[in-house]
Amino acid sequence: MPLLLFGLAASAQAQTADELVAKNLAARGGADQLAGIRAIVSRGELRFPGDFKLAYKETRSRLGGKADDCAVRIEAALQGLTLIQAYDGASGWRVNPFEGRRDAERMGADEARELADGGSIDGALLAARAKGSQVDYLGREDIDGTDAYKLRVTQPDGTVFTYWLDPDALLEIKMLERRTIRGAEKETETDLGDYEKVDGVYFPFAITTGPKDAPPAEKEVITIASADANVPVAPDTFAMPAAPVSQSK
């Protein structure tokens, strides 16, 4: 292909990616509405393989630094025990009483980054420009009978998110995340659906996630029952506790 035509083709592809990101942003609720959500608290149920059901709570909060710097805290409770995972904007930590631990332990950098990306209010697609990520349009692909738009987000650290957008609603229906955890490649597949508006912005209320190509029975399912935006969040919500975390009896 002549260099001039190659340049024009590359430009057209970039414009198509930009257009789809803009349409996705509009479908979510628009830039002003999304930026207006400073915190969101979601509650529902987390179902693990084997039909283990836990009460689920997720708190996300913007930190006020860069465009999409967020802190996140996830709690999953069963029979008086609460698993906690949190990212405070700089590092991640967890408490896992199901493994007999009441002390908080620091996460590795790779796991903390994974949690931080998952706790983004905007999501990796809409935060791409602010984070210096590359977005490419990969054409259309059939996803369970839907001729979806396919976009790839490549972050500066090499983490890659592939998104499929519904051609009518322009909302994400599937995501594939590929990243390196402790030197090994990890691919995670997520199905997104049952979108509901929270303070004027659409968020998925049905999230199914697990290893790429794993059967449905081996994936986790999060079902959100309610979500509230801009509720007060205590400053220490995301801070790693120094003392053991008390568990209900």
Side-chain angles (χ1 to χ4, degrees):
M1 180 185 292
L3 288 178
L4 177 59
L5 292 180
F6 179 83
L8 290 173
S11 176
Q13 185 183 53
Q15 289 175 0
T16 301
D18 288 345
E19 289 170 1
L20 286 171
V21 172
K23 289 177 179 178
N24 175 251
L25 175 58
R28 288 283 305 276
D32 291 343
Q33 285 293 118
L34 185 58
I37 294 186
R38 308 304 303 171
I40 182 168
V41 179
S42 306
R43 292 177 173 83
E45 179 185 86
L46 168 61
R47 188 171 75 247
F48 281 114
D51 207 32
F52 293 102
K53 298 178 181 180
L54 292 82
Y56 182 83
K57 179 182 178 183
E58 180 181 270
T59 303
R60 308 183 196 185
S61 180
R62 296 190 192 273
L63 296 174
K66 295 180 181 179
D68 192 49
D69 278 351
C70 291
V72 60
R73 177 181 173 121
I74 296 171
E75 301 173 42
L78 175 68
Q79 297 178 349
L81 299 178
T82 302
L83 169 69
I84 304 170
Q85 297 184 94
Y87 177 77
D88 62 8
S91 60
W93 56 273
R94 68 167 64 85
V95 177
N96 191 351
F98 299 104
E99 292 182 350
R101 297 185 64 95
R102 294 178 55 230
D103 295 327
E105 58 179 338
R106 188 74 65 184
M107 288 182 180
D110 293 338
E111 294 171 304
R113 187 68 255 162
E114 181 180 28
L115 182 60
D117 284 339
S120 164
I121 291 176
D122 295 353
L125 181 60
L126 295 183
R129 179 174 294 180
K131 291 184 176 294
S133 302
Q134 173 69 36
V135 183
D136 296 297
Y137 174 51
L138 304 181
R140 309 283 286 265
E141 185 172 320
D142 181 84
I143 300 295
D144 297 327
T146 297
D147 191 21
Y149 293 110
K150 187 177 182 181
L151 292 164
R152 180 180 61 212
V153 177
T154 306
Q155 296 184 333
D157 68 355
T159 298
V160 177
F161 293 86
T162 303
Y163 287 92
W164 288 264
L165 307 183
D166 182 275
D168 299 317
L170 275 305
L171 295 170
E172 303 95 315
I173 56 174
K174 184 175 180 177
M175 177 183 73
L176 177 64
E177 177 183 348
R178 187 175 77 243
R179 64 172 64 242
T180 300
I181 302 288
R182 295 188 298 277
E185 186 175 275
K186 177 182 179 182
E187 290 189 293
T188 304
E189 217 168 39
T190 302
D191 294 318
L192 306 160
D194 291 349
Y195 279 83
E196 298 284 349
K197 266 191 175 181
V198 182
D199 206 26
V201 177
Y202 278 106
F203 289 90
F205 273 38
I207 303 108
T208 301
T209 186
K212 182 184 177 184
D213 298 327
E218 295 179 12
K219 294 185 175 182
E220 300 174 7
V221 179
I222 298 172
T223 304
I224 301 300
S226 65
D228 299 291
N230 298 328
V231 295
V233 177
D236 62 351
T237 297
F238 311 103
M240 181 173 171
V245 176
S246 62
Q247 300 285 334
S248 302
K249 296 182 178 179

